[in-house]
Amino acid sequence: MLPDDVFRERLEQTLIELEAWAAEMRDCADIEISASEKYWRMSVQPHFPNACPFELLIHRNQTFDLALGGQHFEKKPIERFDLFLKLVKAISAGRVDRIETRNTLTGVLIAIAMRVEITEGWDWLGHHTVLKRSLHALEQSEERQTFPFLPYRR
């Protein structure tokens, strides 16, 4: 974790960049920004279908939450401040995939992953196991299907 004063300084610059991005994107998405002493939040709902909606919540305790295309990832540590602007730009550019893992024989959904290609060679990944208990037999024969999202601007 960063010292509080360093964190606040870097966060302030990051929020300025994110709010400038939001101003540029208001023609193709409904964007709500709110803040309190404990968090900063941006909710983005694109105007076009099949573009990926998201909500980014940056906490003052140096963690963030991301709701991405209906999947929620909470209390992720903030390791790099340059992630946030690059992440929202990649989402709005349509570089998001929902990856479903299913059992080949039964079609049972085992897991959902969300992948955002930040830049070439740098992906942000979020993963949820759908089955709450391990069914090793189902995991023996898996198939993955990828569902790409579209850009906000077309």
Side-chain angles (χ1 to χ4, degrees):
M1 284 181 66
L2 293 171
D4 191 51
D5 59 333
V6 174
F7 174 78
R8 279 186 280 121
E9 182 180 319
R10 291 185 186 171
L11 177 61
E12 184 177 329
Q13 181 58 41
T14 299
L15 298 183
I16 290 168
E17 294 169 352
L18 288 170
E19 289 180 10
W21 173 86
E24 294 174 8
M25 298 302 291
R26 290 195 190 279
D27 65 321
C28 55
D30 293 326
I31 301 174
E32 293 179 21
I33 295 175
S34 60
S36 78
E37 291 181 13
K38 297 185 179 198
Y39 68 85
W40 179 90
R41 175 185 158 274
M42 178 167 55
S43 177
V44 180
Q45 184 66 44
H47 294 162
F48 293 109
N50 299 319
C52 188
F54 72 91
E55 180 176 284
L56 175 62
L57 189 67
I58 302 175
H59 300 277
R60 303 284 180 190
N61 68 358
Q62 301 191 31
T63 63
F64 72 97
D65 301 344
L66 180 64
L68 185 62
Q71 301 300 308
H72 299 271
F73 308 96
E74 298 178 340
K75 295 185 175 36
K76 299 292 183 186
I78 296 174
E79 297 171 352
R80 319 172 45 155
F81 281 91
D82 65 334
L83 166 69
F84 297 114
L85 183 60
K86 291 177 181 179
L87 179 69
V88 300
K89 284 182 174 183
I91 294 168
S92 65
R95 296 193 311 264
V96 181
D97 294 317
R98 175 186 168 108
I99 304 163
E100 295 182 356
T101 303
R102 294 183 179 273
N103 176 267
T104 305
L105 301 175
T106 65
V108 169
L109 183 62
I110 297 170
I112 299 171
M114 298 296 288
R115 177 180 57 213
V116 181
E117 182 186 0
I118 305 296
T119 60
E120 189 172 327
W122 181 18
D123 292 344
W124 183 89
L125 296 168
H127 181 271
H128 285 296
T129 301
V130 176
L131 295 176
K132 296 302 177 194
R133 56 191 174 108
S134 178
L135 296 176
H136 189 65
L138 288 178
E139 295 171 351
Q140 295 300 313
S141 179
E142 296 177 345
E143 64 181 21
R144 288 180 180 80
Q145 188 172 11
T146 302
F147 301 94
F149 286 88
L150 298 175
Y152 286 20
R153 285 200 170 99
R154 306 203 188 144

